Amino acid sequence: MIRIAIPNKGRLSEDTRGLFEDAGLDVRSKGDRALTASLGGVFEGLFVRAQDIPEFVADGAADAGVTGLDLVRESGRALEELLDLEFGRCRLVVAAREESGVTSFAGLNGGTRVATAFPNLAREFFTRVARSVEVVPVSGAAEIAPHIGIADVVVDLTSTGSTLRVNGLREIGTVLESTARLVCAPGAVAGPRARDLEDLVTALASVLRARTRRYVMANVPRAALERVKQVLPGLNGPTVVDILNGGHLVAVHAVVATASLHRTIGDLKGLGAEGILVTRIERLVP
Ligand code: AMP
């Protein structure tokens, strides 16, 4: 069995389950509270807190795990990154009270107290920027620390910045940019479970790749094919298919980045395309 540690609740839980389901590794559990559940085949999920996952993977309780890069780095455990899962995007930032007037590290001194649930990353960061501060570890909700007088500055996670704003805090620096990662113990990719880990990475990566792309089909004038190829580069150029009784039209199929879809459709119409179809792709293995 390949045991994969998966966040059981919190911000990363839903996206992780969604990704695994899309990759055909859906949770076959008897109840929501089960600690382990089959994911099909050789894969088994171990449902635990995101925070504990770096330890569990490093100690061998799980062969791989999904958790935030922030938590991996804070743990200080040497883990190998197999894949950036692109969700759970956030930044670990330094923020000071708005009314303190502090807008940069220059305003911090030996007496500055920094509340954070990331004491290791915070200490490392302030050493790097040569500021001696006092780090006050808290287990969460660091943003309230300045209000209750236990710190002047926080090192906390933010994605939209709204929690910081609501709490009257102003960002003065970035410690780390984070997304969810699939990690394993060092050397595991060369160990006895290498083949299964590789299959897992291939499956998850194929879903991530497919999510940002669409499959486009259109009937285009044969005479415009050369220009169509410029509009629809596809993976290896578009597939061109004859249409029975198609007259001057041929069918072209290609994979297109979602971000440029609008332009591609406009360009195709400009070249006389008809019957343009756009479909989602479940998985894409290049
Ligand atoms: P949890 O505490 O279990 O909800 O998981 C928190 C993890 O979700 C963090 O360690 C980050 O990796 C990630 N995350 C993504 N966006 C945010 C955010 N805006 N605030 C806090 N954590 C976030």
Side-chain angles (χ1 to χ4, degrees):
M1 277 305 216
I2 298 292
R3 186 175 270 186
I4 309 159
I6 291 175
N8 60 347
K9 52 185 176 191
R11 289 176 196 260
L12 302 178
S13 152
E14 215 175 290
D15 284 336
T16 307
R17 280 179 183 241
L19 172 63
F20 276 67
E21 257 162 47
D22 289 353
L25 298 165
D26 43 322
V27 180
R28 292 148 211 205
S29 105
K30 295 188 192 77
D32 273 355
R33 287 161 176 248
L35 180 63
T36 60
S38 168
L39 301 172
V42 296
F43 299 105
E44 179 181 63
L46 171 70
F47 298 92
V48 286
R49 279 159 35 119
Q51 240 172 314
D52 296 330
I53 290 178
E55 300 293 341
F56 290 170
V57 175
D59 292 343
D63 300 294
V66 171
T67 193
L69 177 66
D70 51 315
L71 296 170
V72 173
R73 290 280 166 81
E74 176 64 20
S75 76
R77 304 300 297 253
L79 293 170
E80 216 161 288
E81 183 179 323
L82 294 170
L83 195 61
D84 182 346
L85 304 179
E86 295 163 26
F87 56 77
R89 190 173 292 280
C90 57
R91 289 176 308 125
L92 187 63
V93 300
V94 185
R97 271 173 50 233
E98 200 82 69
E99 66 258 12
S100 69
V102 174
T103 55
S104 78
F105 302 130
L108 306 183
N109 54 49
T112 305
R113 288 165 307 162
V114 180
T116 183
F118 295 85
N120 297 329
L121 287 176
R123 284 195 195 100
E124 210 176 90
F125 177 78
F126 286 108
T127 305
R128 200 173 350 124
V129 299
R131 288 281 134 196
S132 89
V133 298
E134 184 194 338
V135 171
V136 181
V138 295
S139 63
E143 68 275 8
I144 62 161
H147 295 292
I148 56 176
I150 62 163
D152 319 293
V153 168
V154 301
V155 168
D156 204 0
L157 290 173
T158 177
S159 43
T160 60
S162 63
T163 307
L164 293 180
R165 264 195 305 281
V166 166
N167 285 286
L169 296 165
R170 174 196 300 151
E171 248 185 81
I172 60 170
T174 302
V175 177
L176 179 78
E177 305 211 343
S178 179
T179 49
R181 310 288 161 108
L182 177 71
V183 292
C184 68
V189 279
R193 306 207 156 108
R195 176 70 203 276
D196 295 316
L197 284 177
E198 202 179 297
D199 288 350
L200 174 68
V201 172
T202 302
L204 298 179
S206 72
V207 172
L208 295 173
R209 213 176 283 116
R211 283 181 176 174
T212 55
R213 293 170 170 88
R214 295 290 181 271
Y215 197 61
V216 175
M217 294 169 266
N219 296 337
V220 301
R222 197 183 289 275
L225 260 184
E226 276 316 306
R227 276 173 297 155
V228 168
K229 280 183 196 163
Q230 282 154 22
V231 173
L232 275 187
L235 291 177
N236 308 301
T239 303
V240 180
V241 189
D242 277 329
I243 306 171
L244 195 61
N245 303 323
H248 71 294
L249 295 176
V250 287
V252 288
H253 297 186
V255 173
V256 174
T258 314
S260 57
L261 201 54
H262 289 102
R263 193 171 355 113
T264 305
I265 291 174
D267 288 348
L268 284 174
K269 285 179 80 170
L271 292 172
E274 295 174 12
I276 302 172
L277 277 179
V278 179
T279 69
R280 287 181 187 279
I281 305 167
E282 283 193 23
R283 299 197 215 167
L284 180 65
V285 182

